Amino acid sequence: MMSAMGAEPRLRIMRLLLSAHPEGMVVGDIQSELGIPGSTLSHHLEKLKIVGLVNVSRERQFLRYSANTDVLQNLLAFLFDECCSRSSAIKPQSIANLCKPDTD
Amino acid sequence: MMSAMGAEPRLRIMRLLLSAHPEGMVVGDIQSELGIPGSTLSHHLEKLKIVGLVNVSRERQFLRYSANTDVLQNLLAFLFDECCSRSSAIKPQSIANLCKPDTD
DNA sequence: ACTATGTTTCTAGTATAATAGAAATAAGGT
DNA sequence: ACCTTATTTCTATTATACTAGAAACATAGT
């Protein structure tokens, strides 16, 4: 998954899909937004789908892709676990607070 | 950075260095622990160093590598920011709680 | 059935990355 | 100065990934 997110075109796709979450976007819109040729885009979407970072569903003749936030959450949890339980070097609160100053 | 962590040998290195945090490890110990030939290991360590995920310091004739937890924290913060501020789809607390059930 | 549109698969070229043996460099001990 | 140990750089090979045009496939409308 990190390898998948490590490629710039795919990180751009993920960020775009997160902007459009939870509705997601159809391929054509992603394509015109990012300016990536169809076949190249399809290849990247395929990779993101394989590792589970995105979900796909048909909508008439369009394919709608959306970010799989459960999987993203697992990735974040894994990284946290590595950092915290292995080394206690990172303070989760300092990061969590960045996102939700209103809850808690 | 995600690309760097996305390669399996390098993820193994990072996990090992996090286990040994904050002391870190000298190259020879990493090598015997992971069973990676010296030149290959050196190549991977170089990459991790370039993206800032590890720090190096000389210690007599050894080179000691250690995980750069500040940079890791920034990476986590970036991911959180993408997920939370773009989509509000991820609950930071659910992850933060995995690590520190005693603080807060 | 035919046409139009959206998306993928096929194919191939190019670039980047992983691997590791051998030689070179660095630091330390005698 | 020389030898030993630690690590890197050099070099080359092999494998994998990125890119994208063209053709194929899927769905919808007429």
Side-chain angles (χ1 to χ4, degrees), chain B residues 7 10 37 39-40 43-44 47 58 60:
Chain B
R10 288 194 290 267
S39 60
T40 304
H43 157 79
H44 287 307
K47 235 168 212 175
R58 261 219 178 268
R60 294 174 172 272

Side-chain angles (χ1 to χ4, degrees), chain A residues 43-93:
Chain A
H43 157 79
H44 287 308
L45 288 172
E46 166 76 5
K47 233 168 214 175
L48 290 171
K49 191 176 63 181
I50 286 174
V51 301
L53 281 166
V54 300
N55 296 319
V56 205
S57 64
R58 258 215 181 272
E59 181 177 303
R60 295 174 172 271
Q61 71 264 56
F62 309 93
L63 285 180
R64 178 171 293 273
Y65 283 81
S66 61
N68 186 338
T69 51
D70 285 351
V71 170
L72 270 170
Q73 183 155 340
N74 287 343
L75 174 60
L76 282 168
F78 168 78
L79 283 173
F80 259 128
D81 194 44
E82 288 301 313
C83 295
C84 301
S85 61
R86 279 180 189 263
S87 77
S88 309
I90 291 195
K91 301 148 208 77
Q93 231 58 34

Side-chain angles (χ1 to χ4, degrees), chain B residues 84-101:
Chain B
C84 302
S85 62
R86 278 180 190 262
S87 77
S88 313
I90 292 198
K91 302 147 206 77
Q93 232 57 34
S94 65
I95 290 167
N97 291 340
L98 291 176
C99 304
K100 42 183 318 203

Side-chain angles (χ1 to χ4, degrees), chain A residues 33 41 87 96:
Chain A
E33 184 72 30
L41 178 58
S87 77

